[in-house]
């Protein structure tokens, strides 16, 4: 069987009575709402929890970074010593996550082969980033992972399986599967159920992945010629997966080929989802700008938007191969609690988010300030009333994702979100990486 890039692994799950306090939402959520994380810390205080194994980004620049990393590594080692996990060797886990709106997201947790992944621009690898990777965000994350004994992922990886041949069949016989967990997630995260899958189930799944990744079928599907197969697109956790890749590339230089073949750090634990799962809804990731002169910022943004296309202009988008002028793009500016509809007359990118981000990068480099990436419109509006400037962006169509990445490369960073912040993946399954 050819390498389909996704495998069973030795998966650790906290003991049943620990799960409600152990499982917390991804560390890159609620970054401008420190009260959320303060409540999580209160709920998990003196309890084994993923909260003590990750670095919530809401705390970046506000706590001792090196000291926090030491605490994270110590917590992982202590949890292993205390035996808080049950281990399930050579396994996959079928997951059903009931979201806040009642929809059920289906997935399979397993190992993604980092040798099949390249996050750099122009990659033609089997696994690809869907958004531009901000290289300066990787070294701090490497410092967290490089000495960690465990990984506990929030990474969601997508397949474009319109016929639902890979993930959905894994859940067709739930009464005969061994249920591993079933509990309500804290802080409005809904419910999650997990079921053990064995090698036989993996064989069926791998066969379906092999058909989905057939190069001739792939090019017919996307009406392309000679393109290398994109089987897995990173939906959430792009920088976490890039960090795992960076750590692996450094480590394997010290290993023999035999050691590297099956070293645990060669793989990253992820949840695989189908793009065609009805529960998966693409939400826009909005921008909120802090520490700028509001009037000056608004004037420059409006001037940028009102520039007319020059004659014979070609797009200067790094993400686009198109040569024709791009149609005007619309977004909503929120300042002082007031909305203003804005149209970019001469967009620089094929997506509105890319054109807005190009302005923000230039403005912040020149004038200072900082930008945060927010999922909910209500949070953007509240922050704008407190002195920040908000930019509400349209969501992209999820049906455009794979073909856009295939033809144009990675999207501008923070282009889309798969659902609201509370629906993001919660840390739960773990794996030894040392």
């Amino acid at each position: 069987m050819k390498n389909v890039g996704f495998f069973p692994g030795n998966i650790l799950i906290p003991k049943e009575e620990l799960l409600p306090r152990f499982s917390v939402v991804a560390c890159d959520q609620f970054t401008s709402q420190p009260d959320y994380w303060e409540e999580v810390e209160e709920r998990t205080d003196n309890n084994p929890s993923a909260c003590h194994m990750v670095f919530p980004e809401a705390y970046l620049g506000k706590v001792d970074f090196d000291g926090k990393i030491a605490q994270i590594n110590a917590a992982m080692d202590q949890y292993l010593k205390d035996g808080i996990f049950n281990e399930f060797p050579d396994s996959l886990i079928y997951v059903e996550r009931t979201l806040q709106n009642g929809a059920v997201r289906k997935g399979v947790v397993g190992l993604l082969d980092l040798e099949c992944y390249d996050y750099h621009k122009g990659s033609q690898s089997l696994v690809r980033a869907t958004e531009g990777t901000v290289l300066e965000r990787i070294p701090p994350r490497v410092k967290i992972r490089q000495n960690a004994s465990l990984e506990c992922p929030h990474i969601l990886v997508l397949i474009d399986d319109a016929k639902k041949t890979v993930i959905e069949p894994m859940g067709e016989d739930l009464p005969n599967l061994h249920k591993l967990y079933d509990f309500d997630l804290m802080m409005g995260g809904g419910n999650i159920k997990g079921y053990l899958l064995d090698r036989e189930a993996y064989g069926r799944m791998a066969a379906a992945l092999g058909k989905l990744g057939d190069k001739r079928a792939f090019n017919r599907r996307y009406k392309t010629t000679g393109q290398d197969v994109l089987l897995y697109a990173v939906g959430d956790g792009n920088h976490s997966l890039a960090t795992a890749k960076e750590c692996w590339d450094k480590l394997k230089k010290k290993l023999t080929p035999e050691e590297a073949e099956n070293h645990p750090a060669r793989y990253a634990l992820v949840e695989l989802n189908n793009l065609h799962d009805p529960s998966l809804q693409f939400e826009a990731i909005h921008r909120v700008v802090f520490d700028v002169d509001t009037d000056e910022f608004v004037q420059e943004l409006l001037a940028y938007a009102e520039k007319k296309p020059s004659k014979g202009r070609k797009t200067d988008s790094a993400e686009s191969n198109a040569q024709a002028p791009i149609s005007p793009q619309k977004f909503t500016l929120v300042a002082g609690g007031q909305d203003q509809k804005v149209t970019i007359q001469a967009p620089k990118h094929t997506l509105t988010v890319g054109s807005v981000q190009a302005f923000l990068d230039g403005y912040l480099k020149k004038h200072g300030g900082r930008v945060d990436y927010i999922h909910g419109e209500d949070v953007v509006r509240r922050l704008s009333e407190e002195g920040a400037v908000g930019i509400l962006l349209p969501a992209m169509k999820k049906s455009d994702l794979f073909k856009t990445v295939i033809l144009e490369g990675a999207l501008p960073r923070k282009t889309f979100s798969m659902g609201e912040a509370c629906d993001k993946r919660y840390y739960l399954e773990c794996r030894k990486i040392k």
Side-chain angles (χ1 to χ4, degrees):
M1 182 184 294
K2 69 177 182 179
N3 182 359
V4 296
F6 187 77
F7 301 95
N10 299 336
I11 298 177
L12 303 173
I13 298 177
K15 293 179 178 177
E16 184 176 4
E17 66 274 12
L18 303 177
L19 286 169
R21 285 191 175 92
F22 182 88
S23 196
V24 302
V25 79
C27 66
D28 58 351
Q29 302 305 305
F30 301 101
T31 51
S32 291
Q33 296 167 264
D35 53 324
Y36 176 95
W37 287 102
E38 289 168 6
E39 183 171 346
V40 171
E41 287 197 341
E42 289 177 7
R43 293 190 183 200
T44 61
D45 189 34
N46 295 320
N47 290 277
S49 177
C51 180
H52 312 312
M53 295 169 52
V54 299
F55 198 135
E57 292 187 5
Y59 296 153
L60 285 173
K62 299 175 182 177
V63 299
D64 174 16
F65 184 72
D66 291 334
K68 180 66 174 175
I69 293 173
Q71 291 174 3
I72 289 170
N73 291 337
M76 292 179 177
D77 293 341
Q78 190 64 48
Y79 294 164
L80 287 171
K81 181 179 178 181
D82 292 345
I84 75 162
F85 300 104
N86 293 317
E87 184 169 20
F88 298 89
D90 199 28
S91 298
L92 299 169
I93 298 174
Y94 172 74
V95 174
E96 290 192 348
R97 168 81 177 277
T98 302
L99 306 177
Q100 195 175 57
N101 64 3
V104 178
R105 184 173 72 216
K106 300 172 182 178
V108 174
V109 176
L111 305 188
L112 198 67
D113 187 354
L114 294 171
E115 286 294 301
C116 298
Y117 169 57
D118 181 357
Y119 61 81
H120 293 95
K121 186 172 181 59
S123 164
Q124 295 297 300
S125 54
L126 194 69
V127 187
R128 299 180 206 171
T130 54
E131 66 174 20
T133 303
V134 184
L135 298 180
E136 58 267 26
R137 291 182 62 186
I138 295 179
R141 292 170 182 247
V142 167
K143 290 189 71 174
I144 296 172
R145 186 181 176 95
Q146 64 188 358
N147 294 315
S149 53
L150 295 170
E151 67 171 354
C152 189
H154 69 263
I155 301 165
L156 297 177
V157 175
L158 300 173
I159 55 174
D160 189 2
D161 182 19
K163 295 182 179 179
K164 300 183 178 179
T165 62
V166 177
I167 294 171
E168 289 78 4
M170 298 298 102
E172 289 178 350
D173 193 22
L174 289 185
N176 290 319
L177 294 180
H178 175 203
K179 184 186 286 187
L180 297 172
Y181 51 77
D182 179 354
F183 66 99
D184 290 337
L185 297 161
M186 69 168 73
M187 306 291 286
N191 178 272
I192 190 163
K193 298 178 177 69
Y195 301 83
L196 188 65
L197 298 177
D198 58 18
R199 265 282 171 180
E200 183 180 346
Y202 172 67
R204 298 194 300 272
M205 189 175 176
L209 284 169
K211 291 180 180 177
L212 194 64
D214 175 79
K215 188 170 181 176
R216 292 175 64 184
F218 171 84
N219 278 282
R220 285 198 302 270
R221 189 158 64 245
Y222 298 107
K223 296 180 174 59
T224 53
T225 303
Q227 288 277 353
D228 288 331
V229 173
L230 165 60
L231 184 54
Y232 307 102
V234 185
D236 263 344
N238 180 68
H239 287 87
S240 293
L241 192 61
T243 297
K245 172 69 170 178
E246 190 73 12
C247 288
W248 167 239
D249 283 347
K250 289 181 179 179
L251 176 60
K252 73 179 180 181
K253 294 176 183 177
K254 305 174 184 177
L255 304 175
T256 66
E258 293 75 19
E259 291 172 329
E261 184 68 24
N262 294 302
H263 194 284
R266 171 176 168 163
Y267 303 91
L269 193 62
V270 305
E271 181 179 329
L272 197 64
N273 296 130
N274 185 3
L275 183 70
H276 297 271
D277 188 318
S279 74
L280 280 180
Q281 299 297 321
F282 277 22
E283 307 283 348
I285 301 181
H286 309 298
R287 272 57 174 162
V288 177
V289 185
F290 300 89
D291 305 326
V292 295
D293 181 304
T294 299
D295 291 340
E296 179 184 70
F297 177 87
V298 170
Q299 288 175 9
E300 290 207 21
L301 177 55
L302 293 177
Y304 170 83
E306 291 166 3
K307 284 182 181 176
K308 303 295 184 183
S310 57
K311 287 186 177 181
R313 180 185 68 87
K314 294 181 181 179
T315 176
D316 61 355
S317 169
E319 285 77 26
S320 176
N321 294 321
Q323 296 299 305
I326 305 169
S327 299
Q329 298 166 342
K330 300 178 184 296
F331 65 90
T332 300
L333 176 66
V334 187
Q338 300 296 314
D339 288 9
Q340 181 175 352
K341 303 296 183 183
V342 180
T343 299
I344 303 176
Q345 299 295 339
K348 293 182 176 294
H349 292 260
T350 54
L351 297 174
T352 308
V353 61
S355 300
V356 169
Q357 192 64 48
F359 167 79
L360 290 175
D361 290 344
Y363 184 91
L364 297 178
K365 183 177 181 180
K366 180 179 178 182
H367 298 284
R370 65 183 179 89
V371 64
D372 199 2
Y373 303 92
I374 306 294
H375 296 90
E377 286 191 19
D378 55 338
V379 178
V380 174
R381 296 184 191 283
R382 177 174 60 78
L383 292 171
S384 80
E385 291 173 354
E386 297 172 0
V389 182
I391 297 174
L392 297 174
L393 295 164
M396 74 172 290
K397 296 178 181 177
K398 71 176 185 178
S399 57
D400 293 339
L401 178 65
F402 269 69
K403 189 154 190 178
T404 301
V405 173
I406 292 164
L407 296 179
E408 301 184 3
L411 306 172
R413 66 183 182 273
K414 299 291 185 182
T415 293
F416 68 93
S417 169
M418 296 196 301
E420 299 290 344
C422 62
D423 294 332
K424 295 300 180 178
R425 192 172 203 282
Y426 274 56
Y427 301 109
L428 202 167
E429 296 86 0
C430 298
R431 187 176 71 95
K432 296 176 185 176
I433 54 174
K434 290 177 69 175

